[in-house]
Amino acid sequence: MKHRIVVLGAGYGGSFAAGILARRLSPADTEITVINAEPDFVQRLRLHQFAVGQEVETPKLADVFAGSGIRLRLARVTAVDPDRRVVTVADADGGGEIGYDTLLYALGSHVADSGVPGVAEHAFDVTGRPSALRLRERLDTLDKRAEGKNVLVVGDGLTGIETATEIAESRPGLAVTLVARHELGARLSAGARSHLRRACDRLGITVVEHTSVEAVEATRVLCADGTVLASDATVWTAGFAVHPIAAVSGLEVTETGQIVVDRTMRSVSHPNVYAVGDAAYALGDNGRPLPMSCASAGATGRQATEAIVGRLTGRKVTDIKLVYVGNHISLGRRDGILQLVDGEGRAKPKYLGGRKAARIKAGVLKMSLWGVMHPTFGMPKRRRRLTAAPEAAEKAFA
């Protein structure tokens, strides 16, 4: 009987991992299934561009995995039972249960309302294609009206900065305000902060600093200091949360719902489950939790696949470097910031800004998409066979 590997989620982490497993494990011994709710691959890192009306490629997953031997199941994951080793899904046909021998959990994250009243009812976000499309339609409506309509972006993390600058550049008829909880770009170096502020000035973005939002209403935002900000469209980028499925499954998770994993991305409570990307609580080589990011998804995905392949084929598990080197921030289409960080996650003094930084960011996104669309590039002619008793190999390396 073939060893059943089930991958939950076909974002960057899940798609890359599935492709690597297909490249390195013999199809005579393994059966790889990817479960994803949507039929398309979504470039989440470019959803702020999609929201303002730019064309963003969304390849069909059926085409992505064609010829790879990977099975695609279009369904929504509703539950995971790690003791019975089954995943429950829902689809147009009613769904059902899918059994597995090894599970790779890569369901990612979505916007977190942080308990702020009105976010769910009135705010927009760019963490998924449907929500980004909803924002796009709202911006289209505002653009057709008289000038002076206000777009308020709450949160000055990377997503907030990229969203605010993209809207301001692409929709110059709209007044954009960026609300920062602390100083704008507080995690950047002094030079990068100055560059960011100049970009906001150039694009006409009003920056409100040291401000916390207490409530979101249909046409305004209420701040903790009593300030009231008018808003015709509020975009919420103040944090992300993982799907609650893992927390109720019996897997060991953190208070935030992330799956607690060891150095090889294997669940500390269930050795047949691996987690990657935003869903994993993984410590980097500096001893700090890896941040939610595409870079972390890549590193944790490579480590998980090394562990799965090594254990199932009776080989030593290779350690992948778990480091976070920096941030690529787009400031519209012609400007950007490349900020490197040190081993403690602090911004290094030097940074790269301007068109060159923007081109580097665009190149990274292009290469990431190419990698997803060619999951079995460099497929070896002889892929590794599993040991006679894979579960015995798992226990040997536990």
Side-chain angles (χ1 to χ4, degrees):
M1 184 177 178
K2 291 185 179 182
H3 188 91
R4 301 164 299 171
I5 300 175
V6 173
V7 180
L8 304 185
Y12 290 101
S15 295
F16 279 130
I20 293 172
L21 292 172
R23 285 199 299 269
R24 299 181 60 187
L25 293 174
S26 171
D29 299 328
T30 55
E31 177 184 287
I32 302 172
T33 301
V34 174
I35 303 175
N36 198 64
E38 302 295 330
D40 305 320
F41 174 75
V42 176
Q43 296 190 67
R44 180 167 173 173
L45 296 179
R46 296 187 62 193
L47 284 177
H48 59 289
Q49 295 174 240
F50 175 75
V52 300
Q54 297 170 25
E55 292 302 318
V56 175
E57 191 173 359
T58 54
K60 295 290 183 184
L61 290 172
D63 296 332
V64 168
F65 295 132
S68 67
I70 297 171
R71 300 183 178 187
L72 175 63
R73 176 71 182 272
L74 296 178
R76 180 171 56 87
V77 178
T78 59
V80 174
D81 188 335
D83 295 322
R84 295 174 51 227
R85 298 186 190 177
V86 296
V87 175
T88 304
V89 299
D91 57 20
D93 298 323
E97 291 186 340
I98 300 174
Y100 66 83
D101 298 300
T102 296
L103 182 70
L104 184 63
Y105 191 106
L107 289 181
S109 62
H110 57 272
V111 69
D113 61 18
S114 303
V116 176
V119 171
E121 295 84 359
H122 303 297
F124 299 85
D125 69 83
V126 292
T127 59
R129 187 174 172 84
S131 58
L133 179 59
R134 178 171 164 262
L135 173 58
R136 181 174 182 166
E137 293 170 346
R138 179 59 174 168
L139 295 178
D140 286 342
T141 299
L142 296 179
D143 257 346
K144 293 177 182 178
R145 299 177 181 177
E147 291 190 3
K149 295 299 181 181
N150 300 301
V151 177
L152 197 68
V153 179
V154 180
D156 68 326
L158 305 187
T159 302
I161 292 170
E162 292 191 328
T163 301
T165 53
E166 204 73 52
I167 294 174
E169 182 179 271
S170 299
R171 308 285 182 131
L174 302 177
V176 179
T177 298
L178 177 60
V179 179
R181 189 177 185 87
H182 303 290
E183 179 186 2
L184 177 66
R187 292 177 292 178
L188 301 174
S189 63
R193 287 198 301 273
S194 296
H195 186 100
L196 172 59
R197 194 171 294 278
R198 290 194 299 271
C200 288
D201 291 341
R202 171 174 56 81
L203 294 169
I205 298 172
T206 300
V207 178
V208 179
E209 297 175 291
H210 306 290
T211 300
S212 298
V213 172
E214 284 197 335
V216 176
E217 297 180 355
T219 59
R220 63 179 188 170
V221 163
L222 310 181
C223 302
D225 61 1
T227 302
V228 178
L229 301 173
S231 177
D232 297 294
T234 299
V235 187
W236 191 263
T237 67
F240 304 97
V242 299
H243 292 280
I245 292 174
V248 299
S249 69
L251 292 165
E252 183 171 335
V253 299
T254 64
E255 291 183 358
T256 61
Q258 289 177 292
I259 298 173
V260 182
V261 296
D262 64 15
R263 180 60 176 73
T264 67
M265 303 304 122
R266 183 163 63 172
S267 164
V268 297
S269 61
H270 293 79
N272 296 94
V273 177
Y274 294 77
V276 302
D278 293 353
Y281 180 78
L283 298 180
D285 293 341
N286 61 1
R288 299 173 181 271
L290 290 173
M292 291 185 178
S293 68
C294 182
S296 297
T300 55
R302 289 193 298 273
Q303 182 60 80
T305 54
E306 285 290 340
I308 293 171
V309 171
R311 289 177 175 131
L312 294 183
T313 61
R315 289 169 169 79
K316 181 180 178 180
V317 175
T318 301
D319 282 344
I320 300 297
K321 288 185 178 180
L322 299 177
V323 295
Y324 192 80
V325 298
N327 298 312
H328 292 89
I329 310 169
S330 65
L331 305 174
R333 296 298 85 217
R334 296 177 295 277
D335 193 5
I337 293 173
L338 171 55
Q339 175 69 74
L340 299 180
V341 300
D342 61 20
E344 298 301 313
R346 296 170 299 200
K348 293 183 177 181
K350 292 185 178 181
Y351 78 99
L352 178 65
R355 288 180 179 269
K356 188 173 182 179
R359 287 195 296 267
I360 292 175
K361 174 67 179 287
V364 169
L365 295 178
K366 186 176 181 179
M367 288 188 295
S368 297
L369 178 62
W370 191 93
V372 168
M373 294 180 67
H374 299 81
T376 54
F377 177 76
M379 178 84 78
K381 293 182 179 179
R382 297 184 62 183
R383 285 174 277 176
R384 295 178 180 176
R385 300 295 301 269
L386 271 60
T387 58
E391 291 202 16
E394 282 275 354
K395 293 177 180 179
F397 286 93

